[in-house]
Amino acid sequence: MRRYQEAKPPLDTSRFTARRIHFIAKKPKLTYPLPKMYPYLHIGRASDINDARDRKLYRFLEVMPGLIAWLTLILIVILSFLTPFFMALFIIAFDIYWLIKTIYLSFHLRAAYNKLKINSKVDWLERLNQLPELKSWQDIYHVVFLPLYKESYEIVSASLEGLLKTNYPKSKMAVVLCWEERGGDGTRQVVEAIERKYKNGFLKFISVMHPSDLRGEIPGKGSNTAYAAIRVKEGFVDRLNIPHDRIIVSNFDIDTIVYPEYFGILTYMFLTTLDQLKTSYQPIPLYVNNIWEAPSFARVVAFSATFWHTIKQERPDSATTFSSHSMPWQALEDVGFWQKNMVSEDSRIFWQCFLRYDGNYKVVSLYYPVSMDANVASRTLETFKNVYKQQRRWAYGVENVPYFLFGFIKNKFIPLRKKLYYGFIVAEGNHSWATNAVILFLLGWLPVAVGGPEFNRTVLSFNLPYLTRTIMTLAMFGLISSAMLSIILLPPRPPQLSRFKHFLMAIQWILFPITTILLGAIPALDAQTRLMFGKYMGFWVTPKNRKV
């Protein structure tokens, strides 16, 4: 396979020499002007709204997801006492629905994985060279943001080594290491060491310190990268006069390791997509960097997340961005960069663009992976706590429901069909996350347990456990496909581990019902309840623990 031979950088960057830590001595403007027609794009929570009527409306929308989830569970319990016959019918219908959905999602998982395999074998740089001259990739630049908090040198270095190993000219790539002042001296030392080693590996290597305790910010990935983006625009993009519509931004978690053809397929998709400047580009996150070190329950959660986002590649019409993803610089600037006053910046940036462009914004599936860390701590109990907190933070993406519903009310140009479609898909997804596992594995037996003597003498009461068990057993066969695929996606086994570990990787899926409740539904219900009562969450940074 032909590899690209590095060319001399086409831009004169001599006047923009490498900065060290003092590069960020001056504080840039903390806000960026938004179009007057879209004043609601940077609302983080109800208290950010000055108008009392709008504030009450937004607060009602914040209450709604948690309220509906709790009402669903409470009504199932109450109605199991009052009308056990009808609740038994509901449980059977719900189990059948879940079985059909499981089969449907299994087909999508297999189809998406097959496309991933095909794309992984393509020399995408060669494909780029075959494009017509009008779609030349030579003037496309990539800006990669890597937000750093307290991660180790080894974690950061592995991500940068992945960038260097890509089959793409580094003279077209600028890397922005945006690091938190609150990380302390340890973080500062990591940045200095990384800068010394990698500052000459790309068109430009920029380190940006995000000051602590800035007004109006929630410390986290969104506020960190937004601060860095404004500085990069003023000091690099505009300074070198790079056209904004020829820049693709990749906002990666610090543990993200890109596969060799990532920027090739990303650039190809960008150049061949209609409305390329109104599109985000989503890879598949594989949580396998340290998967061999993870305890069984953490592996199940990690692979479940991987499989879910693999399945979502098959439904780009309803997808939003998640975690590490890419998008045009022009779109990022049009919405005033990432929000600084909320938690789930990865999906929120999609909704910002969706509202800003009146519904004319979409996600393109890359069917190509990036690898990330599974949640692993030094002790099993600590790992369990960290997995719970990470799942709760992911589930706190429910804060986007009031955001886009409020935006739908304010924006009269988005077609009603799109409002109804996206509103239902996303709201239903959050509701299912918090309730489905509890209904399936805990409340499904309730009509028999509390239905009373009269109901327990009926044929339905006698057959309900058998029907439910049979349907659930059939649905569990979908786990066999998941177990097989999880083995295929494993990185090479470390030599110090025995082959018996492969067997454990397969049988770990018997934990799925437990992990789905304890590390799925409950943290989701926790997140929605916090939003419902106005106990807003901050950004919890997942600790990285990897043996490298």
Side-chain angles (χ1 to χ4, degrees):
M1 184 165 55
R2 187 180 67 80
R3 314 310 286 177
Y4 182 86
Q5 298 298 319
E6 286 292 340
K8 189 175 181 179
L11 294 175
D12 176 16
T13 61
S14 60
R15 66 182 187 275
F16 193 71
T17 55
R19 266 60 167 179
R20 298 190 63 80
I21 305 306
H22 61 271
F23 174 69
I24 305 307
K26 296 190 298 181
K27 295 184 180 180
K29 292 175 289 186
L30 299 181
T31 58
Y32 204 74
L34 290 172
K36 292 182 180 180
M37 292 177 59
Y38 307 91
Y40 46 83
L41 286 187
H42 279 210
I43 293 173
R45 54 187 61 164
S47 57
D48 294 336
I49 303 175
N50 292 325
D51 182 82
R53 185 175 180 180
D54 283 346
R55 186 166 59 250
K56 290 178 181 178
L57 171 61
Y58 199 98
R59 184 72 193 102
F60 168 76
L61 296 174
E62 288 180 334
V63 170
M64 190 170 62
L67 180 62
I68 294 175
W70 277 110
L71 282 177
T72 299
L73 299 177
I74 292 171
L75 283 175
I76 288 176
V77 174
I78 293 175
L79 293 177
S80 293
F81 282 93
L82 299 179
T83 58
F85 182 84
F86 292 105
M87 283 309 303
L89 294 178
F90 167 79
I91 294 296
I92 293 172
F94 187 83
D95 288 347
I96 293 173
Y97 157 77
W98 195 72
L99 172 62
I100 295 172
K101 186 174 182 179
T102 300
I103 296 171
Y104 170 78
L105 293 178
S106 296
F107 281 120
H108 273 307
L109 176 61
R110 182 58 58 178
Y113 173 69
N114 288 336
K115 293 176 183 178
L116 181 154
K117 283 200 304 181
I118 293 171
N119 285 346
S120 297
K121 297 176 182 178
V122 174
D123 185 336
W124 287 98
L125 197 63
E126 183 63 32
R127 287 280 183 92
L128 286 172
N129 287 325
Q130 295 171 3
L131 288 176
E133 187 175 348
L134 290 176
K135 293 185 177 180
S136 173
W137 63 276
Q138 301 288 345
D139 60 346
I140 301 296
Y141 292 86
H142 292 268
V143 177
V144 180
F145 287 89
L146 296 174
L148 168 65
Y149 178 40
K150 289 185 176 181
E151 290 77 16
S152 67
Y153 173 88
E154 290 75 16
I155 297 288
V156 185
S157 178
S159 298
L160 286 161
E161 289 293 334
L163 294 176
L164 286 176
K165 292 175 183 176
T166 54
N167 181 31
Y168 199 84
K170 311 312 173 291
S171 57
K172 303 289 184 181
M173 296 169 57
V175 175
V176 185
L177 187 63
C178 27
W179 56 283
E180 297 281 5
E181 181 184 35
R182 61 194 178 98
D185 290 337
T187 299
R188 185 183 298 269
Q189 292 169 9
V190 168
V191 172
E192 290 176 336
I194 290 293
E195 188 179 75
R196 282 195 300 270
K197 182 173 182 179
Y198 295 101
K199 65 181 179 181
N200 297 320
F202 307 92
L203 168 66
K204 187 55 58 182
F205 185 95
I206 309 167
S207 63
V208 180
M209 184 191 75
H210 179 219
S212 59
D213 301 323
L214 291 178
R215 180 180 298 179
E217 287 192 356
I218 293 177
K221 183 180 175 183
S223 56
N224 187 358
T225 50
Y227 183 94
I230 296 174
R231 188 65 191 233
V232 169
K233 169 184 161 50
E234 296 173 349
F236 173 66
V237 173
D238 291 348
R239 200 170 185 179
L240 296 182
N241 199 29
I242 303 176
H244 294 186
D245 62 351
R246 309 309 286 170
I247 303 173
I248 305 174
V249 176
S250 294
N251 191 12
F252 291 157
D253 288 355
I254 194 63
D255 59 329
T256 301
I257 300 177
V258 297
Y259 282 56
E261 299 293 334
Y262 179 79
F263 292 103
I265 188 173
L266 171 59
T267 307
Y268 184 90
M269 291 298 184
F270 175 78
L271 291 173
T272 57
T273 296
L274 294 176
D275 280 341
Q276 58 189 218
L277 297 179
K278 296 180 180 178
T279 305
S280 286
Y281 304 86
Q282 181 67 53
I284 299 174
L286 304 181
Y287 293 92
V288 297
N289 286 345
N290 58 344
I291 195 67
W292 290 101
E293 305 164 26
S296 55
F297 64 86
R299 294 196 300 266
V300 171
V301 172
F303 276 120
S304 296
T306 288
F307 294 157
W308 176 245
H309 290 288
T310 304
I311 291 167
K312 286 182 69 176
Q313 296 272 300
E314 286 287 282
R315 295 296 305 276
D317 56 319
S318 60
T320 60
T321 46
F322 173 79
S323 189
S324 296
H325 63 275
S326 303
M327 63 182 297
W329 178 279
Q330 186 64 63
L332 187 62
E333 186 174 333
D334 283 350
V335 299
F337 302 105
W338 296 278
Q339 284 190 230
K340 304 176 180 182
N341 55 349
M342 39 76 65
V343 174
S344 52
E345 94 299 327
D346 50 356
S347 49
R348 176 60 63 87
I349 193 63
F350 169 84
W351 292 114
Q352 288 176 252
C353 294
F354 191 86
L355 296 175
R356 170 63 179 82
Y357 295 126
D358 303 328
N360 184 25
Y361 196 83
K362 63 183 183 293
V363 173
V364 162
S365 302
L366 294 182
Y367 293 102
Y368 194 81
V370 296
S371 67
M372 305 169 75
D373 284 15
N375 200 329
V376 179
S378 56
R379 293 178 297 176
T380 301
L381 181 59
E382 187 179 354
T383 298
F384 186 91
K385 293 178 180 178
N386 286 353
V387 172
Y388 182 93
K389 292 178 180 179
Q390 182 186 57
Q391 293 295 307
R392 184 176 62 187
R393 192 195 76 203
W394 286 356
Y396 199 68
V398 71
E399 66 178 335
N400 288 311
V401 174
Y403 176 82
F404 72 71
L405 289 179
F406 184 82
F408 286 175
I409 294 171
K410 293 298 181 180
N411 190 313
K412 307 302 181 183
F413 301 104
I414 301 175
L416 178 61
R417 179 184 62 83
K418 280 193 173 183
K419 292 180 179 180
L420 294 176
Y421 179 72
Y422 274 97
F424 173 78
I425 290 293
V426 179
E428 189 276 335
N430 281 281
H431 180 265
S432 296
W433 192 347
T435 60
N436 277 10
V438 178
I439 296 172
L440 284 167
F441 300 117
L442 292 182
L443 301 184
W445 314 98
L446 204 55
V448 174
V450 302
E454 184 176 348
F455 173 70
N456 288 334
R457 286 193 294 267
T458 64
V459 175
L460 180 59
S461 171
F462 180 78
N463 288 318
L464 178 61
Y466 298 99
L467 288 171
T468 301
R469 189 181 303 116
T470 301
I471 294 170
M472 295 296 293
T473 301
L474 291 173
M476 287 301 171
F477 277 110
L479 293 181
I480 298 176
S481 176
S482 298
M484 294 173 59
L485 190 53
S486 67
I487 297 297
I488 295 172
L489 292 175
L490 283 173
R493 174 174 51 85
Q496 68 270 22
L497 298 179
S498 70
R499 294 181 179 179
F500 182 70
K501 194 77 170 181
H502 278 285
F503 174 72
L504 296 178
M505 290 284 187
I507 66 169
Q508 67 190 16
W509 289 96
I510 62 175
L511 297 174
F512 180 76
I514 298 174
T515 59
T516 303
I517 295 173
L518 296 182
L519 298 173
I522 293 179
L525 197 59
D526 183 352
Q528 294 183 21
T529 303
R530 288 169 183 266
L531 183 64
M532 179 174 66
F533 287 109
K535 304 296 183 182
Y536 301 109
M537 289 177 55
F539 188 93
W540 182 78
V541 180
T542 305
K544 303 295 188 295
N545 188 354
R546 187 197 309 168
K547 298 175 183 178
V548 289

